[in-house]
């Protein structure tokens, strides 16, 4: 006998939805969260790879010899200025005019002073550390080492690498950022052993005869590339300002053998010079790549 209550009938076309993990919606939500987590893990791994630089292209390449460095530098000079050096000029510019950065020391900025000491040999203390101005022997405002960098920030950074050499005789900063030219002219009235700056300000100080070149022995060129791949020799405007400075005041000294150049940065092949770089001649590239 029945209870008298009508039985509930299921509507056609509809099936009861199970609860728990068997519910299709619950499964789809569960899967979506799992996929998101996996994707996040993949993204984290990708970022880790790019930061650590596990790329063969980022590995340091073999250093160039003094001969290869000189060929590279002269090739850049000819290309940037649209000139071709005569055979007499090329013969007079020897490999010895390149101050080679020893491979043992590497090119760490904090070890820069060791390279500079080596360049002056036994006289390094007298030439680089002595702060007393000797009338008639040491010209005021004439450094023995001049660093040319593409920016004020790099100029300061390179001076930090020679800090112990500039305790008795302070280095002079030759750039326009936060520094007035009158202030620099005043500083150059004293003995200067080491100076560092940018091409435009250095040239201006030489033009007005505030910065002398009678003692200059080493011209250190900071050719490390920035995050965009530009360097002193490839950065537009700065590159032109540098070659204008070099052509007017340093090239003849190099030809005469009175000046040594240190290319402070990687130049083993053309890949380091990105942006608007000047391509090497085929013969020079073969030498550098060998």
């Amino acid at each position: 006998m029945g209870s008298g209550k009508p039985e509930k009938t299921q509507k056609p076309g509809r099936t009861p939805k199970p609860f728990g993990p068997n519910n299709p919606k619950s499964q789809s939500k569960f899967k979506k969260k799992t996929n998101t987590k996996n994707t996040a893990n993949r993204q984290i791994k990708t970022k880790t790879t790019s930061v650590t630089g596990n790329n063969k292209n980022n590995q340091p390449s073999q250093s160039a010899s003094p001969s290869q460095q000189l060929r590279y530098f002269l090739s850049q000079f000819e290309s940037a200025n649209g000139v071709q050096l005569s055979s007499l000029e090329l013969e007079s510019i020897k490999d010895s005019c390149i101050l080679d950065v020893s491979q043992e020391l590497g090119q760490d900025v904090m070890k820069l002073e060791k390279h500079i000491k080596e360049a002056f040999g036994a006289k390094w203390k007298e030439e680089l550390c002595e702060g007393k101005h000797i009338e008639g022997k040491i010209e005021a405002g004439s450094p023995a080492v001049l660093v040319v960098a593409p920016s004020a920030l790099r100029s300061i950074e390179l001076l930090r690498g020679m800090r112990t050499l500039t305790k008795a005789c302070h280095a002079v900063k030759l750039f326009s950022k936060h520094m007035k030219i009158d202030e620099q002219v005043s500083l150059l009235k004293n003995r200067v052993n080491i100076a560092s700056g940018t091409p435009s300000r250095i040239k201006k100080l030489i033009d007005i005869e505030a910065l002398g070149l009678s003692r200059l022995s080493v011209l250190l060129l900071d050719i490390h590339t920035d995050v965009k791949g530009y360097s002193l020799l490839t950065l537009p405007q700065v590159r032109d300002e540098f070659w204008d400075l070099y052509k007017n005041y340093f090239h003849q000294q190099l030809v005469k053998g009175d000046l040594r150049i240190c290319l402070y940065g990687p130049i083993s092949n053309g890949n380091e010079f990105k942006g608007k770089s000047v391509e090497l001649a085929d013969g020079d590239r073969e030498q550098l790549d060998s």
Side-chain angles (χ1 to χ4, degrees), residues 34-47:
T34 304
N35 291 338
T36 304
K37 189 174 181 181
N38 291 339
T39 304
N41 289 337
R42 284 196 298 270
Q43 289 175 347
I44 291 172
K45 289 179 180 179
T46 304
K47 288 182 180 179

Side-chain angles (χ1 to χ4, degrees), residues 99 114-128 143-146 165 193-194 215-218 260:
L99 174 60
K114 294 183 180 180
H115 304 312
I116 301 302
K117 284 180 182 179
E118 287 182 347
F120 288 87
K123 293 184 177 181
W124 69 266
K125 200 167 185 177
E126 177 186 344
E127 293 290 331
L128 302 174
V145 177
L146 180 60
L165 300 176
N193 296 329
I194 299 173
R215 291 182 61 218
L216 186 61
S217 298
V218 174
R260 300 179 72 189

Side-chain angles (χ1 to χ4, degrees), residues 75-138:
S75 173
Q76 291 281 312
F77 171 70
E78 291 180 326
S79 300
N81 294 279
V83 299
Q84 187 171 359
L85 296 174
S86 66
S87 56
L88 288 175
E89 285 181 301
L90 291 173
E91 287 175 5
S92 61
I93 304 175
K94 307 296 184 184
D95 293 350
S96 57
C97 74
I98 294 294
L99 174 60
D100 190 26
V101 178
S102 64
Q103 297 181 16
E104 291 76 20
L105 295 177
Q107 292 189 336
D108 181 1
V109 170
M110 299 314 295
K111 296 179 181 179
L112 185 56
E113 64 181 50
K114 294 183 180 180
H115 304 312
I116 301 302
K117 284 180 182 179
E118 287 182 347
F120 288 87
K123 293 184 177 181
W124 69 266
K125 200 167 185 177
E126 177 186 344
E127 293 290 331
L128 302 174
C129 300
E130 180 62 47
K132 187 178 179 181
H133 176 62
I134 305 174
E135 192 70 34
K137 185 178 179 181
I138 302 295

Side-chain angles (χ1 to χ4, degrees), residues 218-230:
V218 174
L219 181 67
L220 190 148
L221 307 179
D222 175 34
I223 58 173
H224 280 87
T225 54
D226 59 18
V227 292
K228 294 182 179 179
Y230 288 111

